[in-house]
Amino acid sequence: MKKKMIGAAVLAALSITTFVTPVAASTEDDIQATNQKLTELTSKESSAKAELTEVTAQMAEQEGKANDLAEQMTKTQQKLADLQAQIKSLKEAIAKRENKLAEQARSVQTDGNNDNYVAFLMDSENFSDAIGRIDVVSELVKANKELIDEQAEDQKTLSAVEEETKSKLAEQDLLAAKLEAAKTDLEQKKIEKEAVVASLAAEKADVQADKDHYLAVKAEADEESARLAEAKQTAAVSSNDETTNSTENKTDAKTTAADKKLKTAKETATVEAESTSTASGNASWSTIKSTAFSLQGIPYHFGGTTTAGFDCSGFTSYVFAKAGIQLTRTASAQYASATKVSQSAAKPGDLVFFNQTGSIDHVGIYLGNNKFIGSQSSSGVSVKEINQYYWGKYLVGFGRVN
């Protein structure tokens, strides 16, 4: 009887070993496949991260250019202030000369009395006196001629200074617009690269979870194989049966636990992803208006999103956020997401967009009556006219935030 029991134990051990061995071999293949997949994903992830680093470096370089431009703008603004002071001085000088010319055209002052040129000459006592008086009149006329020439030259200078002022303002706006367009492209590339890196990381996590599962199964199979080998040696039927049953139960429990853990991780990731999307409410115009006007005078800063300095889209994003609505980061993205409205239908609180470089590169908040407020490269946060000599030429249209 004892031999039969031992024989049965050996047969059972052999049959279970026959089952466990293919499972272990299959699991080993799965582990190798996941290792290969992880290697491929790691290589792709490294390449994507390198590309992301390159884009980030380009953005840093662009930021450096923007800072240099900001310094140039500061110097230009000082020069413009000096030019405005010069214009004021020239205007005052011209006004004084006009008064002097008018006064001298009416009279000439001699001996404390005012007489006209003819009377002055006619009062000559003799020929010699007349000649002397003619010389006086000639000198006065010559002096008047010099004043007239100076006035004409100053007027010409004044006109040139005014044109230079306008040209500098337009040049600043165009430079800032080009930087805004370049920033938009680089930020879009960065978002795309970040998405690729995140996707690869998620895929790696899934493959790693599969690998961990296969490793757990293999470990259980190896453990089971060791237990069976021991059972064959001892031929302890009852002990072998209990060990086998216990091991099988543990394998099922651990496999189920691993599956549940993987499922829970995926469900958590899904919940976290869903929780990041928020619904935008209707913005209050009174809040938008008061916030926007309270920021007047804050300087322009490329890439700026705080009260230390704003770029155009950073300003609109900041103002709308205070009213409880989130905008996309760049001018072009805000244009794409807004509902387009005609100029006649535009209302205060709508966004107004401009194209100075071939794409949407500037945005502001419409105030009505052809006015908008925004962070301008030449003047910081300020109110501008859409129909003035500059902005009217580059108007694209209006967008309403839903």
Side-chain angles (χ1 to χ4, degrees):
M1 182 68 179
K2 185 175 181 181
K3 289 183 178 180
K4 289 183 179 179
M5 292 178 63
I6 295 173
V10 172
L11 289 174
L14 289 174
S15 63
I16 296 175
T17 303
T18 303
F19 170 75
V20 170
T21 300
V23 171
S26 175
T27 303
E28 186 67 35
D29 292 340
D30 291 333
I31 293 173
Q32 291 179 1
T34 54
N35 282 335
Q36 182 178 356
K37 184 66 174 177
L38 283 172
T39 300
E40 293 174 358
L41 290 174
T42 300
S43 177
K44 290 181 181 179
E45 185 181 39
S46 297
S47 298
K49 285 182 177 179
E51 293 174 358
L52 177 59
T53 301
E54 182 179 354
V55 172
T56 303
Q58 291 176 358
M59 293 184 71
E61 181 181 357
Q62 197 74 8
E63 182 72 18
K65 292 180 180 179
N67 291 335
D68 291 340
L69 177 60
E71 292 180 4
Q72 295 174 13
M73 286 180 175
T74 300
K75 293 178 181 179
T76 302
Q77 288 299 319
Q78 183 59 50
K79 183 177 180 180
L80 291 177
D82 294 341
L83 290 176
Q84 292 296 337
Q86 184 181 353
I87 290 172
K88 182 179 179 181
S89 177
L90 288 173
K91 286 182 178 180
E92 292 175 352
I94 289 173
K96 289 179 180 178
R97 288 182 186 131
E98 287 179 345
N99 292 334
K100 189 171 183 180
L101 287 173
E103 179 182 350
Q104 290 182 347
R106 291 192 300 269
S107 64
V108 58
Q109 184 173 355
T110 59
D111 299 330
N113 297 318
N114 291 329
D115 300 313
N116 59 39
Y117 288 124
V118 176
F120 178 64
L121 293 174
M122 293 298 295
D123 287 344
S124 301
E125 295 180 357
N126 51 47
F127 180 75
S128 177
D129 184 28
I131 294 299
R133 294 193 177 205
I134 289 174
D135 289 339
V136 171
V137 172
S138 296
E139 288 297 324
L140 289 172
V141 171
K142 181 180 178 182
N144 286 343
K145 177 64 168 58
E146 290 176 352
L147 285 174
I148 291 172
D149 290 341
E150 288 181 14
Q151 178 174 283
E153 185 63 28
D154 285 345
Q155 287 176 330
K156 182 179 179 181
T157 301
L158 176 61
S159 177
V161 170
E162 289 177 333
E163 287 302 318
E164 183 179 356
T165 302
K166 292 180 180 179
S167 176
K168 285 292 182 182
L169 287 171
E171 181 181 347
Q172 286 180 350
D173 285 330
L174 284 174
L175 284 174
K178 290 178 181 178
L179 286 174
E180 174 71 19
K183 179 191 69 176
T184 298
D185 292 340
L186 287 173
E187 287 186 343
Q188 182 61 36
K189 287 181 181 178
K190 183 180 179 183
I191 291 172
E192 292 172 355
K193 297 302 180 185
E194 287 175 339
V196 171
V197 171
S199 176
L200 289 171
E203 190 173 355
K204 278 183 64 179
D206 289 341
V207 175
Q208 184 64 52
D210 290 342
K211 178 182 176 181
D212 292 342
H213 173 71
Y214 294 142
L215 287 172
V217 172
K218 182 176 182 298
E220 291 294 337
D222 290 342
E223 182 180 352
E224 181 67 16
S225 179
R227 289 180 182 277
L228 291 174
E230 182 180 355
K232 286 189 292 184
Q233 291 177 356
T234 61
V237 177
S238 59
S239 176
N240 182 60
D241 289 341
E242 291 175 1
T243 303
T244 301
N245 292 334
S246 175
T247 302
E248 288 176 350
N249 291 336
K250 288 181 180 179
T251 300
D252 292 339
K254 290 185 178 180
T255 301
T256 302
D259 290 337
K260 287 183 178 179
K261 185 176 181 181
L262 179 60
K263 181 180 179 181
T264 300
K266 291 183 177 180
E267 289 175 349
T268 301
T270 301
V271 171
E272 290 177 351
E274 291 176 350
S275 67
T276 59
S277 63
T278 57
S280 60
N282 293 324
S284 167
W285 165 234
S286 61
T287 303
I288 291 174
K289 182 178 180 181
S290 61
T291 302
F293 276 90
S294 70
L295 300 174
Q296 287 188 97
I298 290 178
Y300 178 90
H301 180 68
F302 179 79
T305 58
T306 69
T307 53
F310 293 106
D311 62 14
C312 64
S313 55
F315 170 75
T316 52
S317 296
Y318 181 91
V319 172
F320 272 77
K322 291 296 183 181
I325 187 168
Q326 300 299 318
L327 297 183
T328 48
R329 176 60 186 88
T330 63
S332 60
Q334 290 177 13
Y335 179 76
S337 61
T339 300
K340 310 305 180 292
V341 295
S342 64
Q343 186 168 3
S344 61
K347 298 179 180 179
D350 288 339
L351 296 177
V352 56
F353 300 93
F354 302 90
N355 175 356
Q356 304 163 94
T357 58
S359 61
I360 302 298
D361 49 39
H362 192 63
V363 60
I365 301 172
Y366 188 52
L367 300 175
N369 298 322
N370 283 329
K371 293 183 179 180
F372 74 98
I373 186 170
S375 184
Q376 328 299 343
S377 59
S378 59
S379 58
V381 177
S382 58
V383 176
K384 294 293 183 181
E385 290 277 353
I386 295 177
N387 58 357
Q388 65 180 175
Y389 75 97
Y390 186 83
W391 290 112
K393 297 187 297 184
Y394 300 109
L395 175 66
V396 173
F398 299 81
R400 185 158 298 158
V401 179
N402 298 319

